Amino acid sequence: MASVKPDIRDIPADRIPRHIAVIMDGNGRWAKKRGMPRLFGHRAGMESLRAVIKACVEFGVKYLTVYAFSTENWGRPQDEVSGLEKLFHEAFTNELLELHKQGVRIIHLGQREGIPQDLLKEIDEAVDLSKNNDRLVLSVALNYGSRNELMHAVRRMIADGLKPEEITEQKISEYLFTAGIPDPDLVIRSSGEQRLSNFLLYQSAYAEWEFPETLWPDFGKEQLLEAIAEYAKRDRRFGKVK
Ligand code: FPP
């Protein structure tokens, strides 16, 4: 029997995830299959991201968090790292006005130290320009790693002189890069790989996970809708009994 494609109008609004986080995996394999350099895949991945942002706005998803570059990704070949940096420059400048027009607020998640100064400046400008937008909060995890994030949180809590009894689960959340952003409801990792790779470990304690086989450059509105439709069927209990 042919499977019926989901329709967003069939999904009740309260079953749409408020916050979707994505590990955009498979760019390299997608390019290799075409006999092309890995950067060709990252560039195509940028197109997918553009489509997914637009679809999130359309579907009423309020928060989208994407894993663009991890604290471990600096260990990739130099030409790939500098090619990705170039892509991020383009994203934070050329794409910015279109995102701003769509009402997208941009937030950066990750350690500032280590990001080239010129890119950091563009990120800060994008964050500042879009700070009053509220249709979609797009958090870009760049030079991000969960363990690094927790390390910074602990350092700042100590520097702020917090007493042991003041350190609650909620307080820890407030010291993470994601402070003020609700925990993800759904985390998607494309390309069939089933790992967390140091992404939102604390925040996704009760997230639903999906691992579609689609390589990220082939992921778009249709695949996002399939993921949302699957999420809508899940029974979330948060460790309790219904
Ligand atoms: C993982 O695929 C992908 C990345 C490390 C980079 C993701 C970046 C983009 C999609 C570019 C646009 C992003 C922004 C926010 C401007 P991989 O290279 O590990 O793929 P593989 O597992 O097939 O090798």
Side-chain angles (χ1 to χ4, degrees):
M1 203 175 81
S3 63
V4 180
K5 287 205 167 140
D7 187 324
I8 191 69
R9 289 167 298 188
D10 296 334
I11 304 173
D14 63 354
R15 289 262 157 181
I16 304 264
R18 179 157 69 135
H19 182 177
I20 300 182
V22 186
I23 302 178
M24 308 180 286
D25 200 8
N27 295 345
R29 275 163 286 164
W30 186 90
K32 194 168 173 219
K33 269 167 80 179
R34 287 159 178 78
M36 298 296 279
R38 295 176 55 81
L39 268 171
F40 183 70
H42 293 314
R43 207 161 264 287
M46 182 74 215
E47 293 291 324
S48 294
L49 177 56
R50 199 180 287 138
V52 165
I53 293 170
K54 207 161 163 233
C56 281
V57 171
E58 183 186 330
F59 296 155
V61 173
K62 298 307 281 179
Y63 297 84
L64 172 67
T65 299
V66 295
Y67 208 1
F69 197 86
S70 74
T71 44
E72 290 74 34
N73 285 153
W74 298 107
R76 291 192 174 202
Q78 189 46 45
D79 62 332
E80 183 172 352
V81 171
S82 51
L84 275 167
E85 274 175 29
K86 189 159 172 267
L87 206 55
F88 298 144
H89 278 297
E90 287 176 24
F92 283 102
T93 53
N94 304 354
E95 304 284 332
L96 183 61
L97 283 182
E98 179 52 34
L99 292 176
H100 187 44
K101 224 162 60 193
Q102 288 182 58
V104 177
R105 177 176 176 194
I106 296 164
I107 287 181
H108 169 240
L109 308 179
Q111 179 178 280
R112 294 173 66 84
E113 189 201 334
I115 299 178
Q117 279 306 319
D118 49 349
L119 179 57
L120 206 50
K121 186 165 170 277
E122 286 160 6
I123 293 174
D124 288 343
E125 283 168 3
V127 168
D128 189 54
L129 175 80
S130 66
K131 64 175 187 276
N132 294 321
N133 294 341
D134 61 1
R135 280 201 77 186
L136 174 73
V137 176
L138 171 66
S139 303
V140 180
L142 199 161
N143 199 24
Y144 175 88
S146 278
R147 290 181 172 185
N148 175 275
E149 178 182 42
L150 281 165
M151 177 195 80
H152 281 288
V154 173
R155 282 184 184 174
R156 286 201 295 120
M157 285 190 280
I158 292 172
D160 287 351
L162 261 65
K163 297 192 188 74
E165 59 275 19
E166 288 175 314
I167 301 175
T168 58
E169 293 184 8
Q170 175 59 32
K171 189 60 83 185
I172 294 172
S173 293
E174 289 166 20
Y175 274 81
L176 298 177
F177 295 134
T178 48
I181 299 172
D183 287 343
D185 300 297
L186 170 63
V187 185
I188 301 170
R189 181 174 190 144
S190 58
S191 88
E193 299 290 338
Q194 304 192 0
R195 286 189 295 279
L196 311 189
S197 299
N198 208 6
F199 185 51
L200 304 180
L201 300 184
Y202 192 83
Q203 298 88 334
S204 52
Y206 280 101
E208 296 294 321
W209 280 81
E210 290 185 33
F211 301 100
E213 293 290 327
T214 314
L215 301 176
W216 180 250
D218 290 328
F219 198 98
K221 181 178 175 181
E222 191 181 319
Q223 291 71 23
L224 182 74
L225 180 53
E226 276 167 18
I228 292 175
E230 164 63 28
Y231 168 87
K233 289 187 229 151
R234 302 258 180 106
D235 178 22
R236 299 182 79 193
R237 293 187 294 276
F238 299 92
K240 303 184 176 76
V241 177
K242 280 242 165 98

